[in-house]
Amino acid sequence: MVSVLEGRLTRTWNYTLNENKQHIITLFHDTITGLRSAMLDYHEIPNSFGNSSLFMESTGHRIFFSIQSIDGSAVPGFIEIKRSGWTSFTYRCIIQNEEINEITQIISTSPTEVFHTNITDNVLTKDEYTEGSSVVWYVVNTTRQSDKSSTSVHRRFKDFADMFSQVKQNFKGHHLRSSLPIFPEKTLKLTTDHMDPTFINDRREKLSTFLANLLTIPHVSEMTCIKAFLGLMDQVKEFSISFHVPTLGLSLVAPEKQSIENPAIVGIIQKPELCPGLFSGDSITKINGLPVAGSTFTGVVNRIKTLPRPIIIHFVQVIATKSVSSISTNV
């Protein structure tokens, strides 16, 4: 049960079908405005966007979905949002007439998904929107204990703050919220030089300690926002590379079928020493933190060629060896 004054929150349920694949159902709800949406396995559930405010009917609202099994049959389910009197909301997820426990309701004394992290480095890039300013990126290195998959992603201080905000949304109405570590202090640029090496190193150490402590809290490592921040989402991983030279040592290709989400993929790796861990077929998702979704292939290539170095490029890779052949453009 959650107070109507909580504001934005998230609820997540995990469901394993026939002891095979684990499916993740996530609800986003603003208790004040009533706005809501839901996702199944990181994809928006059709018709889930709507309004479930305090003034909805007492029977509540249901968001229906179905999970595809191996044999092609559909397993039905729904998320239920109901108001409890005029002061709170309740949430349930029902699959095949069985109520699923929300992840924060499952008794746990230690994380079920174990991540080992550290922040050992940082990179400065030019601020594209403020002349003469720079942006500090902290390199977050993560290893997933279950399969030893590892990745490194560049994150800004703002990314840490946004991630922690989402974690707190997941814990609204839960006693573990009081156990969350304190986020490193934000300081004004007018009073503190954010480019000072001593300040950067101090903030890096504080962020590294904060992240390590956060991951010891039960349920945190199971949250979608945490997996996305660390760059390890089941069998897909994000990783980023900072390039300090004009050419990247690789070619880019446009997908055979035009895609607004992935307009450019990696073709031939010409200089693997410049892009360790990269494979042909990996997709570019962000350049200096800005998504490329919605850009054209030419737009992505031109942006990479014209931005000052160093430049940080984010990629998405299936955790498996890949290869691709196509007409390419060197960058």
Side-chain angles (χ1 to χ4, degrees), residues 250-253 265-269 279-282 324 328:
L250 56 90
S251 64
L252 295 179
V253 300
I265 60 177
V266 177
I268 301 173
I269 307 294
F279 289 100
S280 296
D282 294 343
V324 64
S328 62

Side-chain angles (χ1 to χ4, degrees), residues 138-324:
Y138 298 94
V139 183
V140 181
N141 306 298
T142 303
T143 299
R144 185 166 58 195
Q145 186 65 28
S146 60
D147 60 359
K148 305 303 180 184
S149 294
S150 62
T151 191
S152 295
V153 290
H154 293 71
R155 302 293 190 225
R156 299 177 60 173
F157 183 81
K158 178 180 181 297
D159 298 325
F160 284 86
D162 290 344
M163 173 271 290
F164 190 48
S165 176
Q166 293 178 62
V167 169
K168 290 189 290 185
Q169 290 177 31
N170 276 276
F171 276 124
K172 284 184 176 180
H174 195 282
H175 71 278
L176 281 175
R177 190 178 185 186
S178 62
S179 301
L180 295 175
I182 297 175
F183 189 74
E185 180 185 7
K186 296 181 181 179
T187 57
L188 295 176
K189 293 183 178 180
L190 293 176
T191 58
T192 305
D193 181 5
H194 286 197
M195 296 299 110
D196 178 70
T198 300
F199 173 83
I200 293 173
N201 288 333
D202 181 64
R203 173 170 276 186
R204 176 177 55 78
E205 292 176 0
K206 289 179 178 178
L207 287 172
S208 187
T209 300
F210 162 78
L211 183 58
N213 290 338
L214 179 63
L215 292 172
T216 66
I217 306 298
H219 309 300
V220 167
S221 60
E222 301 166 53
M223 295 178 180
T224 301
C225 59
I226 285 291
K227 294 179 181 180
F229 176 83
L230 297 178
L232 286 171
M233 303 277 285
D234 300 326
Q235 293 304 306
V236 176
K237 76 175 183 179
E238 175 196 357
F239 68 103
S240 51
I241 300 174
S242 59
F243 294 91
H244 296 255
V245 293
T247 58
L248 309 187
L250 56 90
S251 64
L252 295 179
V253 300
E256 293 182 4
K257 293 184 179 180
Q258 188 174 2
S259 171
I260 61 173
E261 293 186 357
N262 300 303
I265 60 177
V266 177
I268 301 173
I269 307 294
Q270 296 147 339
K271 295 183 178 180
E273 67 275 12
L274 296 180
C275 42
L278 200 61
F279 289 100
S280 296
D282 294 343
S283 298
I284 292 180
T285 57
K286 290 180 285 187
I287 300 173
N288 279 358
L290 296 178
V292 300
S295 303
T296 63
F297 173 74
T298 302
V300 172
V301 172
N302 288 340
R303 188 152 181 260
I304 290 174
K305 287 184 175 181
T306 57
L307 281 175
R309 275 24 177 189
I311 180 176
I312 294 173
I313 302 181
H314 298 250
F315 303 88
V316 166
Q317 177 185 99
V318 175
I319 303 178
T321 302
K322 308 164 68 176
S323 63
V324 64

